[in-house]
């Protein structure tokens, strides 16, 4: 089968499609014939070599963390899903490889009928991350939440999950994305110098929690929240120096503890939340652009602009 791989760190051009061995569903897993798969911004950093010391890797590295498609193999112990079912979900973190013809998923949910394959293919990563960070901050109805980087692949899901919890949501984006955010009921603010003043004008009573999906602004975000403990970042590697938690997900043991130093348990229940919200017409997955597998390098180049609005998706 075909899979997107890279065999050395470097620019986007190191990405290519290769013929590789088919994966098979192990216990607790399903295999899907992939229809669409997401491009992860983290994997762009991995491919460039930026994360080479932080993330274990072997070559060839198969890319892609989430996908949607049609189940064609069901592993031992799996119930409630059968060959032919349409699902979206996530690959095991250490395996990845969803940017391919076939992919193994370790967590999945039924594909909402309202979503296109492209939307479903890019949904799981954002849904898991949104549930994880909002759980960590215990965001609840009536609170005010600021999402920094709200128009991106992850931020656009975080704002919708926070609004569904009953929070008032402020989101930062470039001016041209403010109407896009208003469409989700989000109060938009422009990021950059002076952000605390702009947020204070929008929310004079203060902000209860901040989710940082962009990085580079932690002093301002802490000033806005009033306490580093009320800020969680998924994107700023200087977090520890500011006393801020940087959330990354890892599988949990039987007690619910994450199997990884400093990690939060993967919030796979976020997939179920996404299904419920989609059924209620309260969650859309903005797709910034789609590319065929053979143009994965162009997809990575678009991600590197850091201005894609929503998820970049590879279509089979
Ligand atoms: N730790 C985790 O679990 C986890 C999970 C998912 C993602 N991440 C990380 O989170 C980050 C975001 O991921 P993503 O997939 O959402 O990326 P993305 O889709 O590429 O994000 C693009 C968005 O970032 C915004 N942006 C660019 N510069 C900004 C700035 N200085 N301040 C605020 N917003 C800015 C852009 O807004 P405008 O176009 O409006 O300017 C654009 O909408 C990446 O670093 C990724 O690696 C981490």
């Amino acid at each position: 089968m075909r899979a997107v791989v890279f065999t050395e760190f470097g620019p986007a051009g190191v990405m290519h499609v290769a013929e590789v061995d088919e994966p098979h569903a192990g216990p607790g897993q399903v295999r899907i014939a992939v229809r669409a798969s997401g491009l992860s911004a983290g994997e762009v950093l991995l491919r460039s070599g930026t994360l080479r010391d932080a993330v274990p890797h072997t070559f060839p590295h198969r890319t892609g963390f989430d996908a949607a498609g049609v189940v064609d193999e069901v592993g031992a112990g799996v119930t409630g899903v059968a060959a032919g079912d349409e699902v979206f979900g996530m690959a095991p973190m250490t395996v990845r490889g969803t940017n391919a013809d076939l992919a193994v998923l370790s967590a999945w949910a039924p594909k909402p009928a309202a979503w296109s394959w492209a939307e479903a293919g890019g949904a799981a990563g954002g849904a898991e991350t949104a549930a994880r960070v909002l759980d960590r901050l215990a965001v609840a109805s009536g609170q005010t939440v600021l999402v920094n980087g709200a128009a991106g692949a992850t931020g656009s899901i975080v704002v919708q999950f926070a609004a569904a919890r009953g929070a008032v949501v402020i989101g930062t984006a470039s001016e041209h994305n403010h109407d896009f955010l208003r469409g989700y009921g989000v109060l938009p603010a422009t990021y950059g110098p002076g952000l605390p003043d702009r947020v204070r004008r929008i929310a004079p009573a203060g902000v209860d929690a901040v989710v940082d999906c962009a990085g580079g602004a932690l002093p301002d975000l802490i000033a806005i929240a009033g306490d580093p403990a009320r800020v969680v970042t998924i994107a700023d590697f200087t977090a520890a120096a500011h006393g801020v938690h940087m959330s990354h997900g890892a599988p949990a043991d039987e007690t619910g503890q994450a199997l990884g130093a400093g990690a939060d348990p993967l919030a796979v229940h976020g997939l179920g939340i996404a299904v419920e919200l989609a059924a209620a017409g309260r969650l859309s997955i903005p797709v910034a652009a789609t590319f065929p597998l053979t143009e994965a390098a162009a997809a990575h180049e678009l991600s590197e602009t850091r201005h894609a609005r929503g998820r970049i998706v590879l279509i089979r």
Side-chain angles (χ1 to χ4, degrees):
M1 70 158 196
R2 299 173 310 153
V4 176
V5 303
F6 60 90
T7 51
E8 58 180 324
F9 296 123
V14 300
M15 312 275 301
H16 59 277
V17 170
E19 281 297 321
V20 301
D21 292 341
E22 287 184 11
H24 291 285
Q29 300 175 336
V30 298
R31 187 177 80 170
I32 59 170
V34 176
R35 298 291 300 269
S37 58
L39 181 154
S40 136
E43 223 151 34
V44 172
L45 296 176
L46 184 62
R47 183 266 301 151
S48 68
T50 308
L51 299 181
R52 74 175 76 196
D53 295 329
V55 178
H57 54 270
T58 52
F59 295 127
H61 177 86
R62 292 192 194 179
T63 67
F65 180 51
D66 53 9
V70 180
V71 173
D72 82 338
E73 260 185 30
V74 176
V78 173
T79 56
V81 67
D85 287 356
E86 297 183 350
V87 300
F88 72 104
M90 310 186 309
M93 291 195 74
T94 51
V95 177
R96 293 186 172 253
T98 61
N99 300 150
D101 290 328
L102 298 166
V104 164
L105 303 182
S106 54
W108 60 88
K111 171 187 166 294
W115 289 354
S116 67
W117 281 113
E119 290 163 324
E128 185 281 322
T129 305
R132 170 161 40 88
V133 295
L134 296 174
D135 283 355
R136 171 95 196 184
L137 287 161
V139 168
S141 182
Q143 293 187 333
T144 299
V145 179
L146 172 70
V147 179
N148 189 42
T154 311
S156 60
I157 309 302
V158 174
V159 297
Q160 294 179 79
F161 271 44
R165 287 180 179 220
V168 174
V169 185
I170 304 168
T172 75
S174 297
E175 192 107 30
H176 67 91
N177 280 329
H178 285 193
D179 278 345
F180 168 74
L181 291 182
R182 286 188 189 99
Y184 291 127
V186 172
L187 303 167
T190 303
Y191 55 76
L195 180 64
D197 288 340
R198 289 191 291 281
V199 171
R200 205 170 296 118
R201 283 197 290 276
I202 296 170
V207 164
D208 299 293
V210 175
V211 179
D212 174 29
C213 301
L218 285 180
D220 276 353
L221 300 181
I222 294 165
I224 289 165
D227 182 346
R230 300 212 308 247
V231 180
V232 166
T233 183
I234 59 168
D236 198 317
F237 291 96
T238 71
H242 296 278
V244 167
H245 177 65
M246 178 159 182
S247 180
H248 66 278
D253 65 17
E254 59 285 351
T255 71
Q257 293 299 306
L259 293 166
D264 294 326
L266 276 174
V268 291
H269 60 279
L271 275 57
I273 295 171
V275 171
E276 284 172 20
L277 293 179
R282 298 185 66 189
L283 178 67
S284 66
I285 308 297
V287 175
T290 61
F291 295 84
L293 284 183
T294 48
E295 290 176 23
H300 270 221
E301 283 167 356
L302 175 60
S303 177
E304 282 173 326
T305 68
R306 294 196 66 208
H307 290 292
R309 189 165 79 184
R311 199 76 196 272
I312 301 166
V313 176
L314 301 182
I315 300 287
R316 223 192 107 218

